[in-house]
Amino acid sequence: MQTKPMPRLLLLALPLFLLFSGLPADEETPPVFSQRGFLDDGRLLSGKSEKWKEQVDTLTRLGFNYVATRGTEPAGPVADYLREQGLAVKTAVFLDEATDDTPGKPSLHVMGGKSQKLWLGGLLTPPENSSLLWADGGSGKIVAWPSDGNELELGVFLHAGSAHNGPVQDPYPALIGGSIREAAKRGLTANVLVAGPGLEPFMLNLEAAAAAMKNPERFDGNAFYDAWASRHFGPEANVLTVKSLKLLHGAHEQVSGFGAISAKSMKILSDLQQEKPQGVDLNPVNDALRLARRSLELANQAGKKVPAAQSESFERQILVPASLYLENLELLESLCRLSGAWKIHRAMPPSPVSRQRVTGLLAEAQARSEKLNTHMAKGSAAGLSVTTELRLPLPEEIGALAKKFETRQI
């Protein structure tokens, strides 16, 4: 018996029916990346974070199905809750750092820059039965891709943030989403492992990674940016919020990372304490300052348009990081200028003018250090993700330097 063709009107209506019927269309087809993990820095699995359960819920919501560790065994309650939520725990080893006495039997092997060069040169034999992850350069972007997987399981390891960011995100959703889209295009689909020092401060990049993993081909960084800002802070604030975040990323491209800025400041302070002032190129710092100041200005404007219910979240995720990044840059600027002025003072015959300039810059640096450290302490008390490794120049250290300069007449 011949079957009658479906009426044209019904054919046109079928996609609309499927769209609005509530059927989980995305879940009917297997995800491109079946393994999607988050690399813990030790606080979540150990239960040290007061919000560890909330963080596990966030990972589940974003579609992650495992938590990776570099050796931290999950605390009992954390392990139980992970199992309840369906998240496995896997051990990751970074091949660039691995030694013969690296403990355990890792289920993930991350290939950094050194390992990648060996791989591309045909000089690396990967561990047997290993899941290999091709790493970015530390900021979401993969420059050199493997040309041949040799029938091995290959995935990617990407940073939503890293130690050089400290507590302040470098917002690059289009960048991290683009890397995931390119990985899918190249067939590196075995796994995606995303790292970040904490969840909330880096939520923008983490949510971008989750969205890209769900549908790599259709991921649009700009569209995601607008939707994210509108969802979190309201449609009236989204345009200014996105502009502010993009300028903050631009500042990071000049002087990368809150933690890296702090390290530069500490190096200058150490040199001055040893009476070894150095000339420093201020051009990238000045460029970053210009962008960071405009970023904070737009963030303050956006904050006035954020609904009251979301204002606290906006302050914590947008305003405070933009302020801290700028204050840290301003401290670095003062120390750079101080080092240059001190060097000139030592190279020239004694001059009241050069001495006064050094003294003035010491006072400026001390005041900026006090302001930054005070705001950092407030941010940490409010739940800002601050690692113990992060070191900032302290006001008393700069004060001691000023006293040394004054009393020794150098």
Side-chain angles (χ1 to χ4, degrees):
M1 181 171 66
Q2 186 175 5
T3 305
K4 291 183 179 181
M6 186 177 294
R8 179 176 177 80
L9 184 60
L10 195 56
L11 278 171
L12 292 174
L14 183 59
L16 292 175
F17 168 76
L18 291 174
L19 179 62
F20 293 105
S21 65
L23 292 176
D26 289 339
E27 295 179 10
E28 290 179 349
T29 57
V32 176
F33 300 94
S34 59
Q35 294 298 306
R36 304 176 299 280
F38 175 76
L39 179 64
D40 176 43
D41 63 359
R43 281 173 290 182
L44 189 158
L45 291 180
S46 65
K48 292 179 181 178
S49 170
E50 293 180 0
K51 297 182 178 180
W52 66 263
K53 185 174 288 190
E54 181 182 318
Q55 291 169 359
V56 172
D57 292 341
T58 298
L59 293 176
T60 304
R61 173 178 62 83
L62 293 178
F64 290 92
N65 49 32
Y66 74 90
V67 178
T69 172
R70 300 185 70 171
T72 302
E73 290 295 327
V78 180
D80 293 340
Y81 194 67
L82 287 170
R83 279 193 295 270
E84 289 176 17
Q85 299 302 310
L87 272 73
V89 176
K90 299 186 179 183
T91 304
V93 164
F94 287 67
L95 292 180
D96 284 10
E97 307 167 10
T99 60
D100 292 338
D101 59 350
T102 298
K105 293 182 178 180
S107 49
L108 305 167
H109 289 86
V110 180
M111 301 171 65
K114 295 178 183 177
S115 302
Q116 290 173 8
K117 288 179 181 178
L118 292 172
W119 170 280
L120 294 172
L123 301 175
L124 176 66
T125 302
E128 294 182 3
N129 302 319
S130 61
S131 180
L132 294 173
L133 299 166
W134 194 267
D136 64 9
S139 297
K141 184 177 181 179
I142 294 178
V143 178
W145 292 85
S147 56
D148 181 10
N150 291 331
E151 299 181 354
L152 291 169
E153 282 190 31
L154 270 177
V156 289
F157 171 70
L158 302 169
H159 288 86
S162 59
H164 79 275
N165 293 119
V168 177
Q169 69 170 328
D170 175 6
Y172 47 74
L175 187 61
I176 196 168
S179 293
I180 291 173
R181 185 173 59 245
E182 186 67 19
K185 187 186 300 182
R186 292 174 175 269
L188 278 72
T189 56
N191 207 331
V192 177
L193 176 59
V194 183
L199 290 180
E200 187 180 33
F202 301 91
M203 190 55 67
L204 172 58
N205 290 338
L206 282 168
E207 289 198 21
M213 284 187 277
K214 185 177 181 181
N215 199 332
E217 290 185 5
R218 293 189 178 183
F219 181 81
D220 181 311
N222 288 324
F224 173 84
Y225 230 145
D226 291 338
W228 183 89
S230 182
R231 185 172 70 254
H232 283 273
F233 309 120
E236 292 187 10
N238 75 322
V239 173
L240 289 172
T241 300
V242 169
K243 286 182 178 179
S244 171
L245 290 168
K246 287 184 175 180
L247 285 168
L248 182 59
H249 173 63
H252 275 80
E253 289 184 321
Q254 301 299 320
V255 184
S256 178
F258 186 97
I261 292 170
S262 303
K264 289 181 174 70
S265 293
M266 288 301 302
K267 176 65 168 61
I268 294 172
L269 178 62
S270 175
D271 288 341
L272 291 176
Q273 288 170 334
Q274 299 174 56
E275 299 181 23
K276 296 177 181 178
Q278 308 289 332
V280 184
D281 181 10
L282 265 171
N283 287 326
V285 178
N286 288 332
D287 290 341
L289 277 169
R290 176 176 53 82
L291 295 168
R293 283 172 178 145
R294 181 59 178 157
S295 172
L296 181 58
E297 182 181 332
L298 291 176
N300 279 309
Q301 292 177 21
K304 298 174 183 178
K305 299 176 180 292
V306 174
Q310 296 160 301
S311 60
E312 183 180 341
S313 175
F314 182 84
E315 182 173 359
R316 192 169 59 249
Q317 288 189 257
I318 307 297
L319 272 178
V320 170
S323 299
L324 289 175
Y325 183 84
L326 176 57
E327 289 174 11
N328 205 9
L329 264 179
E330 288 176 336
L331 175 56
L332 175 61
E333 178 203 26
S334 292
L335 289 170
C336 288
R337 291 167 58 208
L338 171 62
S339 187
W342 194 320
K343 183 177 181 180
I344 292 172
H345 173 74
R346 292 190 59 178
M348 295 175 62
S351 164
V353 174
S354 66
R355 170 168 287 278
Q356 186 176 7
R357 176 163 174 74
V358 172
T359 302
L361 286 169
L362 278 163
E364 178 185 88
Q366 186 173 11
R368 286 181 167 180
S369 171
E370 186 166 355
K371 179 182 178 182
L372 174 61
N373 278 279
T374 299
H375 288 174
M376 280 289 288
K378 289 181 180 178
S380 181
L384 193 70
S385 178
V386 180
T387 61
T388 55
E389 294 79 12
L390 185 65
R391 259 289 265 133
L392 296 169
L394 300 175
E396 52 266 33
E397 292 176 313
I398 300 174
L401 192 62
K403 187 173 182 181
K404 182 178 181 180
F405 180 81
E406 180 183 352
T407 57
R408 293 190 61 181
Q409 298 292 305
I410 53 178

